[in-house]
Amino acid sequence: ATKSLLGELNGGGASRPHVMFIPSAGMGHLLPFFRFIASLARHDDDVDISVVTVLPTVSAAEADHFSGLFAAFPRVRRVDFPSHDRDPFIVRWEALRRSAHLIGPLIAGAAPRVSAVITDVTLTSHVIPIAKKLGVQCHVLFISCATIKKAEQGPGAGVGAVDIPGVRRIPESCLPQPLLDLNKQFTKQFIDNGRENINADGILVNTFDALEPAALAALRDGKVVPGFPFPPVYAIGPLRSVVDKEDSSSSSPVVAWLDKQPARSVVYVAFGNRSAVSHAHIREIAAGLEASGCRFLWVLKTTKVDRDDTAELTDVLGEGFLERLHQQQGQGQGQHGMVTKEWVDQEALLKHASVGLYLSHSGWNSVTEAAAAGVPLLAWPRGGDHRVNHWSWDGEDWLVTGEEIAEKVKEVMSDAAVRARATRTGEEAAMAVAEGGTSYRSMQQFVSSLKKAT
Ligand code: UDP
Ligand code: UDP
């Protein structure tokens, strides 16, 4: 409806100007951009407008305002910044890496003098060279299992198969998809970090000898990179919580609910802290849990970043589901269920006597917590490298039906052999970290290596 000022000025003959906005981040920067873009769009519809949108945004408010702008002005083109990873956690790693040059002075200036640095596997290619230059030991705390992977350059441009010496060879088709593209920054960093690992002074792994004997033996036997000595591998897990808590969480409604359930009767359902579950899957899980006839405690997250998770349980699950749970509870019927969106103390919950099974995305921390608690784990690998364990890759989100979920849950809940194995794993975990155990001794060796270097 607006008049074309430019059209008038140019006598109608000139070509349409196209303005591309490249805003920065922060609401204080974005709001004036959004407002100016709106003002220009209202002023003259003979100007083409594009807005470069860096994904992900830093805050939920930014995301909302971007959506608001594009909704209000459909003709304003949205140009997604292509080189950026959408995953906010990867963006944070990137930011850390780009500031890596500041780590040297930080280490050098610390008092008392730093004798060793311990870093994350996503940062090794930057941190290890800096530590070496300063004559400081550098160890890697590996947050996943002991199956540290060795990437081989395959024929052509691909990554090729990945050999896990002493364990198995994973064909390229089973690797996480983001790792197949060697041009991706993430893949390059992943490979750089992998190569740098052999220069570490030690690798600390959250595992224990009885849990991964083959992988640990292979790592210690120098089979990983033939001809190169692999750093000492310290299996120091399962790592336990920061505070020793006897009943620090007993006041929570979740624990109060668990207290009322019979021993080993509850299926604990959780998919880690950053695995968003699609709404379609949530409905299948709900149907599956209901059909299994088992009691369940479901920690439900619908987004990757908790602050983005504003969905109401009733909207996600449907009124009927929650109503039926409450009714059953009221009538004292067999099945009781609880769904929460809160952050729970999962490590403590898994140790609760009422928990009989963990339906898990099998993130490594969760696996070690289940192992320590002696709770059987029904693995549902969902993303990242989790599906390497699965031997197949069926696209980003394939639907597992409620019937399948119910069937598997019932099967594992009633399997005495599985339960016995899980109990034994729990005992082995306790032995590993107890005085004189394998993980205890690994920790001793690690500490004495630090003392030798100081
Ligand atoms: N603003 C807003 N709602 C808020 C916070 C900020 O609309 O909850 C707007 C505020 O009106 C201003 C802009 O965001 O136009 C920048 O706010 P501020 O100066 O606090 O942010 P900074 O520039 O420090 O990022
Ligand atoms: N966790 C928790 N409460 C929650 C969600 C997650 O304590 O509400 C903990 C969980 O016990 C585990 C970690 O967060 O220690 C998640 O790590 P994991 O390796 O299992 O999976 P990721 O979230 O990294 O995929």
Side-chain angles (χ1 to χ4, degrees):
T2 48
K3 235 173 4 155
S4 168
L5 270 183
L6 270 163
E8 259 174 27
L9 287 171
N10 294 328
S15 62
R16 227 167 119 80
H18 175 192
V19 185
M20 179 178 273
F21 288 86
I22 309 180
S24 178
M27 286 305 289
H29 298 256
L30 287 176
L31 276 176
F33 266 76
F34 292 148
R35 290 168 185 170
F36 179 73
I37 292 163
S39 148
L40 181 65
R42 273 192 218 103
H43 191 78
D44 196 318
D45 54 16
D46 213 18
V47 179
D48 256 331
I49 302 173
S50 303
V51 182
V52 173
T53 308
V54 182
L55 295 170
T57 59
V58 181
S59 68
E62 292 177 3
D64 289 347
H65 282 75
F66 267 112
S67 316
L69 174 76
F70 296 119
F73 299 97
R75 73 180 190 83
V76 172
R77 271 193 223 96
R78 172 178 155 154
V79 184
D80 288 346
F81 204 125
S83 66
H84 234 281
D85 208 297
R86 296 178 68 98
D87 185 328
F89 294 91
I90 290 173
V91 172
R92 170 49 59 91
W93 292 331
E94 272 306 309
L96 258 168
R97 277 196 288 263
R98 268 186 245 121
S99 310
H101 60 284
L102 300 173
I103 291 175
L106 210 71
I107 298 170
R113 198 184 71 80
V114 174
S115 39
V117 166
I118 301 176
T119 192
D120 187 87
V121 73
T122 57
L123 298 172
T124 50
S125 70
H126 285 89
V127 176
I128 292 179
I130 292 169
K132 294 263 141 168
K133 217 161 120 191
L134 292 170
V136 166
Q137 278 192 15
C138 191
H139 300 266
V140 179
L141 175 57
F142 196 70
I143 49 92
S144 189
C145 48
T147 49
I148 292 173
K149 303 161 186 88
K150 174 194 161 204
E152 278 173 8
Q153 193 77 41
V159 172
V162 169
D163 208 9
I164 304 181
V167 181
R168 66 173 194 228
R169 191 178 177 82
I170 303 174
E172 184 175 301
S173 61
C174 293
L175 293 178
Q177 302 292 286
L179 287 184
L180 297 184
D181 183 356
L182 284 171
N183 295 317
K184 268 199 118 171
Q185 194 57 21
F186 176 76
T187 314
K188 285 183 190 152
Q189 289 285 352
F190 194 94
I191 290 170
D192 287 351
N193 288 326
R195 291 205 173 112
E196 195 62 46
N197 277 338
I198 58 167
N199 298 320
D201 291 289
I203 313 264
L204 298 144
V205 194
N206 182 16
T207 190
F208 52 102
D209 282 64
L211 188 66
E212 296 188 274
L216 284 168
L219 287 173
R220 288 171 177 149
D221 288 352
K223 286 186 194 154
V224 175
V225 189
F228 284 94
F230 196 71
V233 175
Y234 304 97
I236 40 73
L239 294 171
R240 288 169 295 175
S241 66
V242 173
V243 279
D244 276 329
K245 47 198 168 210
E246 275 313 308
D247 35 33
S248 61
S249 55
S250 58
S251 56
S252 87
V254 169
V255 175
W257 180 83
L258 272 181
D259 285 343
K260 287 192 223 118
Q261 311 307 320
R264 304 247 174 211
S265 70
V266 175
V267 183
Y268 173 76
V269 184
F271 303 110
N273 89 95
R274 55 187 232 97
S275 303
V277 179
S278 72
H279 284 220
H281 253 139
I282 287 172
R283 279 187 289 278
E284 296 299 330
I285 295 168
L289 291 174
E290 221 173 352
S292 76
C294 298
R295 291 156 204 263
F296 59 87
L297 169 57
W298 183 4
V299 183
L300 175 59
K301 319 239 180 232
T302 58
T303 56
K304 257 193 178 176
V305 183
D306 51 6
R307 67 175 167 79
D308 296 342
D309 200 345
T310 52
E312 292 293 332
L313 277 182
T314 38
D315 296 339
V316 181
L317 293 164
E319 291 276 350
F321 181 77
L322 290 172
E323 257 167 35
R324 284 195 297 281
L325 285 187
H326 287 134
Q327 275 167 13
Q328 284 160 350
Q329 205 148 356
Q331 294 163 3
Q333 286 175 8
Q335 181 178 350
H336 304 291
M338 182 163 191
V339 187
T340 181
K341 284 180 64 197
E342 300 302 310
W343 176 270
V344 297
D345 184 351
Q346 175 174 300
E347 188 198 25
L349 293 185
L350 284 170
K351 291 202 165 125
H352 195 286
S354 303
V355 173
L357 175 67
Y358 178 12
L359 174 57
S360 172
H361 76 313
S362 39
W364 189 246
N365 293 297
S366 295
V367 172
T368 60
E369 286 158 9
V375 171
L377 183 139
L378 176 53
W380 184 353
R382 298 184 42 81
D385 59 348
H386 301 155
R387 273 181 245 169
V388 169
N389 306 319
H390 225 41
W391 283 101
S392 70
W393 190 277
D394 301 315
E396 247 329 296
D397 215 8
W398 81 113
L399 202 68
V400 178
T401 64
E403 286 111 89
E404 284 176 81
I405 295 167
E407 200 180 301
K408 291 286 174 219
V409 164
K410 278 193 286 192
E411 191 183 313
V412 187
M413 271 299 257
S414 60
D415 191 328
V418 166
R419 186 161 287 184
R421 262 208 313 279
T423 305
R424 197 162 61 242
T425 303
E427 289 160 2
E428 285 166 349
M431 263 152 51
V433 291
E435 200 173 330
T438 55
S439 293
Y440 182 92
R441 278 183 279 129
S442 266
M443 185 64 107
Q444 275 182 327
Q445 282 159 14
F446 172 65
V447 173
S448 67
S449 85
L450 290 183
K451 288 184 176 161
K452 251 182 259 157
T454 307

